[in-house]
Amino acid sequence: MDFLNAILEEVINFFGASAILDALKTENYAFFKSFDGIVSCIFLALPILLIAEFFIVLFKERVQLKTYKVNFIIIVFNRMVGRALSLGTIFWSIGFFQEYALFHTSYTWYWFIYGYIIWELGSYIYHYFGHKVRLLWCLHSPHHAAETMNLSVNQAHFFLEFPYADLIRTATCMLLGVDPKLFFSILILDITYATFIHIGEHIVKKGQFGFLGNLILTPSHHRVHHGKNPLYMDTNFCNLLNIWDRVFGTYQSEEKSHPIEFGITREMDSGSFMDVYFGEFKALYKDISHAPGIKNKLLYLIMPPGWSHTGEHQTAKIVRNQFLNQQ
């Protein structure tokens, strides 16, 4: 029994939830009703759900194992590098941009609603340009490389995407008056829900959530976002509230007549860490090296994926519009 307790303690400490262990040891059960207690339980529950999902895949859907293999390598690398860059960017952005806020909010429930809407705007901006600017797509593409959907996909990002995303989101929130305490509360909730919406069909089959799907972004909506079908390209950029997708015309529901095909359109090996993590940079370098003139070389950096100096563009917008016009 002592051996099992030791293992449990190591697992809890590994996932950063040592406060849970302290509360259990001291029988301080009131801790679990506090904000810190709820957050600690959420942060412990998500990795446990990911592990449970992994074992379901291991025994029932082994075809997904290569996705887990690559994503876990990315998780290890990103934890060593990306997290420090991300936290540093957030704290610097708060200190710099809050000084220029249009006004200031307070830590109340109604400002929390306002803050979340503004957070979603910042998330939408960073996410949108991550799909529309070729260089930024190189950072974001590892997140879309998987040909299946599961919780590990949420962790698959190029490490430099973290400071870029956090700069945009934090700057947007600070300039529009979101209180830093509100900001961190929203950040915790968003990290939690952003993980959940990547849950696979082997755990949550449809993931449409009935009438709630009209108000929030569901796992079904986010599966659409990860689809490479022409109908689904570059849609559903929000995380929890799909308000900005509806405002900017990028909302798309899942259609039964169009089963989702996960992945990206480039020919690639989704089981190769090097191809998933660096493949888009290699493709970009190839396009730049073959482009005539400085102007075309620079345009490859900032134009959408699929743009060509020859004029034979195959951007997501063009491909999707061609598909919709044929319907």
Side-chain angles (χ1 to χ4, degrees):
M1 185 61 69
D2 289 340
F3 175 70
L4 292 177
N5 288 336
I7 292 177
L8 178 62
E9 183 172 346
E10 287 300 317
V11 170
I12 290 175
N13 286 328
F14 177 79
F15 288 125
S18 57
I20 294 177
L21 190 62
D22 293 338
L24 292 174
K25 286 181 176 179
T26 60
E27 298 184 0
N28 178 25
Y29 302 118
F31 169 75
F32 298 105
K33 295 188 292 183
S34 68
F35 176 77
D36 290 339
I38 294 171
V39 169
S40 297
C41 290
I42 289 173
F43 279 166
L44 180 61
L46 286 174
I48 290 174
L49 183 59
L50 190 152
I51 292 171
E53 183 186 59
F54 170 77
F55 279 103
I56 291 174
V57 168
L58 181 64
F59 292 107
K60 291 189 175 182
E61 300 186 30
R62 296 180 64 87
V63 68
Q64 293 202 40
L65 284 180
K66 70 176 182 178
T67 297
Y68 275 93
K69 179 189 72 174
V70 172
N71 288 346
F72 279 130
I73 294 173
I74 294 175
I75 290 170
V76 171
F77 183 79
N78 285 350
R79 279 186 178 275
M80 293 188 296
V81 182
R83 179 164 293 185
L85 290 173
S86 179
L87 290 174
T89 302
I90 289 174
F91 290 130
W92 178 86
S93 298
I94 290 174
F96 182 83
F97 290 106
Q98 192 184 26
E99 181 180 350
Y100 303 100
L102 298 178
F103 60 94
H104 296 282
T105 61
S106 58
Y107 197 80
T108 58
W109 67 267
Y110 47 88
W111 283 123
F112 181 88
I113 296 173
Y114 166 80
Y116 214 108
I117 293 173
I118 299 304
W119 165 272
E120 285 283 11
L121 176 61
S123 295
Y124 183 96
I125 293 171
Y126 116 76
H127 201 173
Y128 180 86
F129 284 107
H131 282 250
K132 298 299 185 180
V133 176
R134 180 79 179 274
L135 182 59
L136 298 179
W137 170 248
C138 291
L139 305 181
H140 189 57
S141 63
H143 185 59
H144 282 264
E147 295 170 337
T148 56
M149 181 64 78
N150 55 63
L151 292 174
S152 73
V153 172
N154 185 53
Q155 306 298 325
H157 295 267
F158 196 86
F159 75 97
L160 288 177
E161 185 178 22
F162 295 115
Y164 154 66
D166 288 319
L167 175 64
I168 299 299
R169 292 185 296 205
T170 310
T172 302
C173 288
M174 293 303 106
L175 290 173
L176 293 177
V178 177
D179 181 84
K181 295 189 294 296
L182 274 179
F183 173 84
F184 282 110
S185 298
I186 293 166
L187 175 64
I188 291 170
L189 177 58
D190 192 76
I191 289 174
T192 303
Y193 194 73
T195 300
F196 173 73
I197 59 175
H198 290 86
I199 198 164
E201 292 183 350
H202 46 284
I203 301 294
V204 176
K205 183 63 177 175
K206 294 183 178 180
Q208 294 174 332
F209 297 173
F211 76 94
L212 286 177
N214 297 318
L215 304 173
I216 66 173
L217 187 130
T218 66
S220 171
H221 287 129
H222 202 65
R223 290 166 191 169
V224 165
H225 174 73
H226 278 260
K228 62 180 179 181
N229 317 52
L231 175 63
Y232 299 144
M233 285 182 173
D234 286 4
T235 59
N236 298 352
F237 291 107
C238 291
N239 269 359
L240 173 58
L241 307 176
N242 57 34
I243 177 175
W244 296 113
D245 281 307
R246 295 183 183 275
V247 168
F248 295 120
T250 53
Y251 173 78
Q252 175 63 53
S253 60
E254 182 177 354
E255 303 291 340
K256 290 183 179 179
S257 58
H258 294 83
I260 300 172
E261 300 173 25
F262 296 109
I264 59 179
T265 56
R266 173 177 66 85
E267 290 290 333
M268 65 169 298
D269 179 5
S270 62
S272 165
F273 169 76
M274 296 301 293
D275 200 7
V276 168
Y277 212 68
F278 299 105
E280 287 297 322
F281 285 103
K282 181 179 178 181
L284 175 59
Y285 174 79
K286 182 179 178 180
D287 285 339
I288 291 175
S289 63
H290 287 91
I294 296 297
K295 178 181 178 180
N296 286 316
K297 293 181 185 298
L298 292 176
L299 285 174
Y300 269 111
L301 294 173
I302 62 175
M303 295 302 284
W307 180 88
S308 174
H309 70 276
T310 65
E312 299 173 349
H313 309 307
Q314 287 294 307
T315 64
K317 181 178 180 180
I318 291 174
V319 172
R320 188 168 189 265
N321 285 340
Q322 288 175 344
F323 173 80
L324 293 174
N325 291 333
Q326 292 171 358
Q327 298 304 298

